[in-house]
Amino acid sequence: MSFYDKVESTFYGWCVERLLTTAEHGGCLAGGILEIGSGTAVPVVRALLRSGSDTRVHGFERDPRAAATARRAIGLTPLRNYVVDEGDFFTAVPTAAQRCVIGNPPYLPAEPGTSCAPDLWGGPRGAEVTQDVLDCGLDLAMLIVSSIADPLGVLRFARDRGYSVTDWMVTPIRFGRFCRDAGVRARIGDLAGREQAFFAPHSYLIAGVTFVRDAGARDQSAVLGDVLRTAGRASEVADPQPRAGGAVMGAPVGTERVVAGAQAGAAKRAGTAAGAGTAGRR
């Protein structure tokens, strides 16, 4: 069964809702949206219901049980503009009429053969699946980008493919048991030494990033890159830290303050959106 985390999935849903309700993207979204790795479908179901959008979303999920779960979740709602098929997004995209994609691609970095959850493996840098999506040449992509999966490399790759970052939101996430898999843990430390992973001992950042192929768009990738660097400069993932008094523990020191400051400054300059959040368990 595909991975599901309430915090990370809720954040993804917020990012989808923001995309659906941003007027400037209306023309691009009118032709419909593809989704890579629909999982349970709950985030997009909620985003569509909250936004009231009639934009059609066609999701793809390789796990048969997850695809069945997604279809059941959609069937319990009045939605008629969201379908999830069992299948591979990359097989479907060459002939798809839609020119937009959304998704939370797998981003755990690990060397091939490492015993991490296969549904969460994003390649040796954790960025390979995300870059494969951006390499499809669609007009718009709203994807989750992680600070532990070569985020600066992803932003450079997107720019080289003609994309501008036009909008983003950021939230801190706690390391969970999959990140503490021995192979993943070691790989994250290796990437940190190469300036390809940014994290605090107990947490990292994820960003919901809207990439648009528009030569006239004001690119915000430099601002976003600076924010993702604030995730921290730890050299290794620490052991779990207990929570106290219901508070979220282990968030990067100053992350909320830095992200809020970046939000205010970037919004003033270019309409950037960034938001602080809570913890996850990937």
Side-chain angles (χ1 to χ4, degrees), residues 4 8 45 73 107 109 115 140 144 192 214 219 221 246 250 258 261 273:
Y4 175 82
E8 188 166 331
V45 163
Y107 60 73
S115 61
L140 182 149
I144 300 298
D214 179 356
D219 184 28
S221 58
V258 172

Side-chain angles (χ1 to χ4, degrees), residues 5-267:
D5 173 71
K6 182 177 180 180
V7 173
E8 188 166 331
S9 296
T10 298
F11 176 74
Y12 170 55
W14 289 341
C15 296
V16 174
E17 182 180 359
R18 181 176 178 84
L19 176 69
L20 293 171
T21 55
T22 301
E24 66 187 87
H25 299 316
C28 185
L29 302 184
I33 299 173
L34 300 171
E35 183 184 28
I36 178 172
S38 300
T40 64
V42 170
V44 175
V45 163
R46 291 177 175 170
L48 287 168
L49 291 173
R50 288 192 303 260
S51 67
S53 174
D54 60 2
T55 300
R56 299 189 65 82
V57 181
H58 188 171
F60 291 89
E61 173 55 57
R62 293 191 303 178
D63 185 298
R65 291 178 298 169
T69 298
R71 288 192 288 268
R72 284 196 297 271
I74 297 168
L76 294 173
T77 75
L79 293 174
R80 296 296 178 265
N81 56 327
Y82 185 23
V83 296
V84 173
D85 286 335
E86 180 187 337
D88 190 328
F89 164 84
F90 292 106
T91 300
V93 72
T95 58
Q98 297 91 334
R99 300 300 302 163
C100 303
V101 60
I102 58 175
N104 181 8
Y107 60 73
L108 288 192
E111 295 291 356
T114 302
S115 61
C116 72
D119 286 347
L120 304 183
W121 185 57
R125 292 178 296 116
E128 282 78 359
V129 178
T130 299
Q131 292 184 177
D132 285 346
V133 176
L134 292 170
D135 215 17
C136 290
L138 298 175
D139 295 333
L140 182 149
M142 197 294 292
L143 305 172
I144 300 298
V145 174
S146 169
S147 71
I148 61 172
D150 193 16
L152 305 184
V154 169
L155 296 176
R156 287 193 300 269
F157 184 92
R159 190 165 55 249
D160 290 344
R161 295 305 184 276
Y163 286 102
S164 295
V165 172
T166 61
D167 194 32
W168 50 270
M169 296 198 296
V170 173
T171 193
I173 295 288
R174 280 177 59 87
F175 283 116
R177 64 187 181 93
F178 296 108
C179 285
R180 291 191 172 90
D181 173 276
V184 175
R185 188 169 178 160
R187 186 62 180 153
I188 292 173
D190 290 342
L191 293 175
R194 300 182 178 126
E195 295 285 297
Q196 292 179 314
F198 305 93
F199 58 96
H202 298 281
S203 59
Y204 58 102
L205 295 178
I206 57 172
V209 186
T210 300
F211 301 93
V212 178
R213 291 169 68 91
D214 179 356
R218 184 177 298 177
D219 184 28
Q220 301 172 27
S221 58
V223 177
L224 176 57
D226 287 343
V227 170
L228 291 173
R229 286 189 183 96
T230 70
R233 299 278 180 168
S235 60
E236 61 182 26
V237 178
D239 290 325
Q241 185 177 15
R243 297 171 183 259
V248 176
M249 304 296 290
V253 176
T255 295
E256 291 83 353
R257 181 173 65 254
V258 172
V259 170
Q263 176 182 8

